[in-house]
Amino acid sequence: MKNENQSLEEEEDWGMKTWKNLEKVREISPLIQCITNYVSMDLMANTLLASGASPAMLHCLQEIPDFTPHADALCLNVGTLSPDWLPSMKSAAELVNELGKPWVFDPVAVSASEFRLKTCIELVGLKPAVIRGNASEILALANASRDTHSSKGADSSHGSMDAIEAAKSLAKASGAVIAVSGAVDIITDGQRLVGVHNGVAMMQRITATGCAVTALIAAFVAVDPLHAFEATVSALSIFGVAGELGMDMAKGPASLRMHLIDSLHGLDQATILSQVNISCMSRAS
C-alpha cells in the first residue's frame, strides 16, 4: 500500500511540476536558437512563441560566435541535412557546451544514409542534454553499428515501447536524457523511466510536430537545465495536452495545427493539473 501511495503522489506531483515549468518559460522567455530543417522552421518558431519562449532560426556559421552566446539553449535538427550546415551545428554545439548551456538534438531519419548516420553519431558525441526521436530513430542511433538502412525516413515503423531498452542504453552511453515519441512518449535518463500519455493520433498527420516538440523541450530545459529529465517530461506532456484541446475544435490536420498552437498559448493551471497524464514506470536496470 505504501508503494502504491508513493506512486500516486509522484504522479500528482507531475501536474504541478509541469505547470511550474511552463510558468518559468513564460516568465523568462528563453531565447532558443534552432538550427533546423526547412520543413519545420515555421511550426517550431510558432510553438516556441505560443509557449512564451523566443525563437531564433539562425544557422549561418559566421554568425555563431556573435549570436549563440546570447541563446539560453540550442536545438539541432538534421531533417534537411546538408554538408553546408554541419559546421554551423558543430560550432554552435561546441560553443554552448563551453558556456555551460544545454542543447537538444533531433536525429531525424538517422539511418536514411551513411552521411546522416555518421553526422548524428558525431553530434551525439558533442553531449546534448536531451535526444528526442521516434522509436525507429532511437533504435537506429542506439544500434549505430548495425543495419544503417532500416528506417522509413522520418516516420517510425516501431512503437515507442519497442525502443525502451535502446533508449536506456543510449542514455547511459551518451549521458543524455532520451525521449521516444509515440502513442506513449517514453523518457529515460538511464535510471528513471516515465511515460507521457497525452496527445492525439492526428498530430502524426501534421508535418514537423516532432520537430516542434523538440524545440519546446529545449525551451523547458533552458529554464531548468539542472533538471533536464523533468523538463523533458513536462514539455512532452504540455504539447500533448495542447493537441488534445486542439483536437476538440479541429476538423482535420490543418485546423488541428492552428488549434494546437492556440491551445498551447492559452494553457492555464487548472487545465494542466486536470489533463496531464504522466506515469512513473519501473526504474531502468
Side-chain angles (χ1 to χ4, degrees), residues 8-25:
L8 288 172
E9 288 173 3
E10 287 177 359
E11 291 181 19
E12 288 172 1
D13 285 344
W14 275 116
M16 187 54 69
K17 287 176 185 176
T18 299
W19 167 246
K20 288 181 177 178
N21 282 332
L22 179 59
E23 275 194 311
K24 285 183 183 178
V25 171

Side-chain angles (χ1 to χ4, degrees), residues 6-282:
Q6 286 176 336
S7 178
L8 288 172
E9 288 173 3
E10 287 177 359
E11 291 181 19
E12 288 172 1
D13 285 344
W14 275 116
M16 187 54 69
K17 287 176 185 176
T18 299
W19 167 246
K20 288 181 177 178
N21 282 332
L22 179 59
E23 275 194 311
K24 285 183 183 178
V25 171
R26 289 173 171 174
E27 176 186 352
I28 297 171
S29 189
L31 177 61
I32 310 303
Q33 181 182 353
C34 302
I35 303 180
T36 187
N37 68 76
Y38 293 115
V39 178
S40 71
M41 286 184 184
D42 174 75
L43 185 56
M44 286 176 72
N46 280 295
T47 295
L48 287 169
L49 286 169
S51 73
S54 180
M57 320 312 280
L58 184 147
H59 59 264
C60 175
L61 178 61
Q62 286 73 21
E63 291 188 288
I64 299 296
D66 293 329
F67 182 86
T68 301
H70 298 290
D72 295 297
L74 171 71
C75 177
L76 298 184
N77 178 301
V78 296
T80 51
L81 181 65
S82 76
D84 294 337
W85 282 23
L86 186 52
S88 296
M89 291 181 174
K90 288 182 176 180
S91 177
E94 289 168 352
L95 184 51
V96 294
N97 281 342
E98 290 175 11
L99 297 171
K101 298 179 180 181
W103 72 277
V104 178
F105 181 42
D106 194 332
V108 180
V110 54
S111 60
S113 70
E114 290 184 11
F115 170 64
R116 185 175 294 264
L117 180 62
K118 181 181 178 182
T119 296
C120 288
I121 292 171
E122 289 178 1
L123 291 172
V124 170
L126 295 178
K127 299 298 182 182
V130 182
I131 301 171
R132 188 222 62 88
N134 63 40
S136 293
E137 290 161 350
I138 296 303
L139 282 162
L141 197 56
N143 300 286
S145 61
R146 299 181 183 178
D147 182 7
T148 61
H149 297 283
S150 60
S151 101
K152 180 187 173 186
D155 298 324
S156 181
S157 57
H158 299 86
S160 56
M161 295 297 180
D162 299 332
I164 288 178
E165 294 305 319
K168 293 178 189 176
S169 174
L170 183 58
K172 292 174 182 177
S174 66
V177 172
I178 308 300
V180 188
S181 292
V184 177
D185 298 325
I186 301 299
I187 305 93
T188 183
D189 58 3
Q191 295 298 321
R192 294 169 288 179
L193 188 67
V194 162
V196 171
H197 304 264
N198 293 112
V200 293
M202 184 69 75
M203 294 168 77
Q204 298 176 18
R205 298 297 179 184
I206 306 170
T207 189
T209 50
C211 304
V213 79
T214 303
L216 190 63
I217 290 169
F220 275 59
V221 174
V223 299
D224 195 3
L226 297 180
H227 300 93
F229 179 83
E230 291 83 356
T232 301
V233 173
S234 297
L236 285 162
S237 184
I238 285 285
F239 196 71
V241 169
E244 292 168 359
L245 296 174
M247 194 68 235
D248 290 339
M249 299 176 279
K251 295 181 179 180
S255 54
L256 175 57
R257 184 185 191 276
M258 175 182 69
H259 290 303
L260 186 156
I261 294 170
D262 283 348
S263 297
L264 178 59
H265 172 73
L267 282 174
D268 57 27
Q269 181 176 355
T271 301
I272 289 174
L273 293 181
S274 65
Q275 292 204 215
V276 159
N277 188 358
I278 300 168
S279 63
C280 296
M281 305 169 73
S282 59

